[in-house]
């Protein structure tokens, strides 16, 4: 199945890096706090991070007591930053696609993937591979673009706005059409895969995972008072999180 490596595109990479290094972004406000709140006690645990990017999370898992962390990513550029900025004797970075983790001859207690699963065409295959790599009772936690965001392609307006430009509702179409959508983010032709919420959950359940927690972070009053522009996350959350156990 097709695998796009858009993070190795120079223009995309520079745009993404600039966004991630901003003091305030959706990762900082919503994604990272929610992910951390879903983590089990990592002391002595073997952790696999799928789509580890700059490796910030891998380092965080070591700081939280993990005994070993393997970070895999399809992008050499992302891993170069990871190796330079977030290396540790107990972290191994591997330049492989997460579709190919079946080649890793190792067992993990926790598999985590932060905002990368929506790039995968064969979700069912990756879920099965994760299940095989996990020890009994092992935990699989992932975040992805919320399914309300993935049924979106270039050329469609994402929002309906009032006369002052304020977003009054998200434009959602074809939620039930599961396929690859191509959109523009720093460059044209960025590919992500839309799956309905039910498909995601049923795939996990059919593979043998028990769903423990779902999270859809949104801004509270305190956050909105400080960062009012994030009111649009009340119309629809940016991210979906699932924590499940083998
Ligand atoms: C939005 S970034 C998230 C990075 C990191 N997990 C974080 O939260 O900071 C998505 C990452 O997934 C990686 N990725 C995309 N498709 C992949 C694939 N098929 N296999 C492995 N990594 C992939 C990208 O190269 C990129 O580093």
């Amino acid at each position: 199945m097709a695998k796009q490596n858009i993070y190795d595109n120079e223009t995309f990479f520079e745009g993404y890096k600039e966004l991630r290094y901003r003091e305030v972004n959706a990762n900082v406000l919503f994604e990272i706090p929610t992910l951390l709140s879903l983590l089990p006690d990592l002391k002595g645990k073997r952790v696999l991070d799928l789509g580890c990017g700059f490796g910030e999370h891998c380092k965080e898992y070591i700081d939280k007591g993990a005994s070993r962390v393997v970070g895999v990513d399809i992008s050499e550029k992302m891993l170069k930053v990871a190796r330079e900025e977030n290396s540790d004797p107990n972290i191994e970075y591997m330049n492989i696609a997460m579709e190919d983790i079946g080649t890793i001859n190792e067992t993990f207690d926790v598999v985590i993937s932060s905002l990368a699963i929506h790039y995968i065409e064969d979700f069912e295959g990756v879920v099965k591979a994760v299940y095989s790599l996990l020890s009994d009772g092992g935990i699989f936690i992932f975040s992805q673009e919320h399914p309300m965001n993935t049924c979106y392609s270039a050329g469609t307006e994402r929002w309906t706005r009032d006369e002052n430009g304020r977003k009054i509702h998200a434009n959602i179409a074809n939620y039930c059409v599961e396929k690859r959508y191509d959109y523009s983010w720093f460059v044209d032709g960025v590919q992500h895969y839309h799956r309905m919420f039910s498909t995601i959950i049923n795939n996990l359940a059919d593979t043998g995972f028990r769903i423990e927690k779902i999270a859809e972070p949104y801004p509270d009053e305190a956050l909105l008072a400080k960062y009012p522009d994030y009111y649009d996350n009340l119309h629809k959350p940016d991210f979906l999180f699932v924590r499940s156990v083998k």
Side-chain angles (χ1 to χ4, degrees):
M1 289 197 191
K3 298 169 198 153
Q4 187 185 45
N5 180 4
I6 197 74
Y7 286 73
D8 271 352
N9 174 296
E10 185 64 27
T11 309
F12 183 96
F13 176 78
E14 288 304 329
Y16 177 76
K17 201 165 149 207
E18 191 276 318
L19 175 74
R20 284 303 299 271
Y21 283 6
R22 278 185 212 162
E23 213 167 296
V24 173
N25 57 41
N27 293 71
V28 171
L29 296 182
F30 301 110
E31 209 274 337
I32 295 172
T34 309
L35 183 78
L36 296 181
S37 76
L38 292 173
L39 293 181
D41 181 1
L42 292 180
K43 280 193 197 77
K45 296 287 186 333
R46 299 158 296 178
V47 179
L48 175 63
D49 185 351
L50 304 178
C52 63
F54 297 147
E56 288 154 327
H57 293 330
C58 295
K59 190 68 173 43
E60 177 88 32
Y61 305 149
I62 289 290
D63 293 346
K64 289 187 174 307
S67 57
R68 171 167 165 77
V69 177
V70 175
V72 309
D73 204 286
I74 198 171
S75 160
E76 283 177 20
K77 278 182 182 290
M78 297 298 280
L79 286 178
K80 184 168 182 289
V81 177
R83 291 190 177 106
E84 284 167 6
E85 297 186 3
N86 291 301
S87 65
D88 185 277
N90 294 317
I91 300 177
E92 183 179 349
Y93 290 113
M94 295 174 70
N95 186 206
I96 59 168
M98 68 177 105
E99 292 91 332
D100 300 327
I101 52 171
T103 58
I104 303 176
N105 194 17
E106 219 177 312
T107 301
F108 297 92
D109 306 298
V110 186
V111 177
I112 307 170
S113 181
S114 184
L115 293 180
I117 289 277
H118 46 265
Y119 296 119
I120 298 306
E121 182 174 10
D122 183 13
F123 177 67
E124 195 183 338
V126 170
V127 170
K128 286 198 167 109
V130 168
Y131 193 84
S132 300
L133 290 176
L134 274 173
S135 54
D136 282 345
I139 288 173
F140 179 31
I141 302 168
F142 67 87
S143 65
Q144 64 154 80
E145 285 182 12
H146 198 285
M148 279 193 274
N149 286 330
T150 46
C151 50
Y152 161 78
S153 53
T156 45
E157 281 298 332
R158 271 196 132 149
W159 295 98
T160 297
R161 296 168 188 264
D162 68 14
E163 58 280 12
N164 301 313
R166 193 169 167 83
K167 296 166 182 169
I168 49 178
H169 61 75
N171 297 330
I172 290 174
N174 291 317
Y175 174 79
C176 300
V177 181
E178 296 194 323
K179 65 176 184 98
R180 191 186 91 198
Y181 286 79
D182 294 0
Y183 64 112
S184 300
W185 193 36
F186 310 122
V187 295
D188 289 340
V190 181
Q191 304 171 355
H192 62 185
Y193 291 87
H194 171 65
R195 287 174 276 270
M196 294 165 71
F197 182 71
S198 51
T199 300
I200 295 164
I201 298 303
N202 289 336
N203 254 305
L204 289 161
D206 291 347
T207 304
F209 281 107
R210 179 166 51 81
I211 314 297
E212 285 194 323
K213 192 108 180 163
I214 307 276
E216 300 169 293
Y218 59 91
D220 60 16
E221 279 182 20
L223 190 146
L224 285 175
K226 220 167 159 194
Y227 307 110
D229 283 353
Y230 284 90
Y231 73 93
D232 59 2
N233 272 254
L234 290 173
H235 289 316
K236 60 161 184 58
D238 278 345
F239 309 124
L240 169 70
F241 291 74
V242 184
R243 171 176 153 139
S244 55
V245 60
K246 173 168 171 177

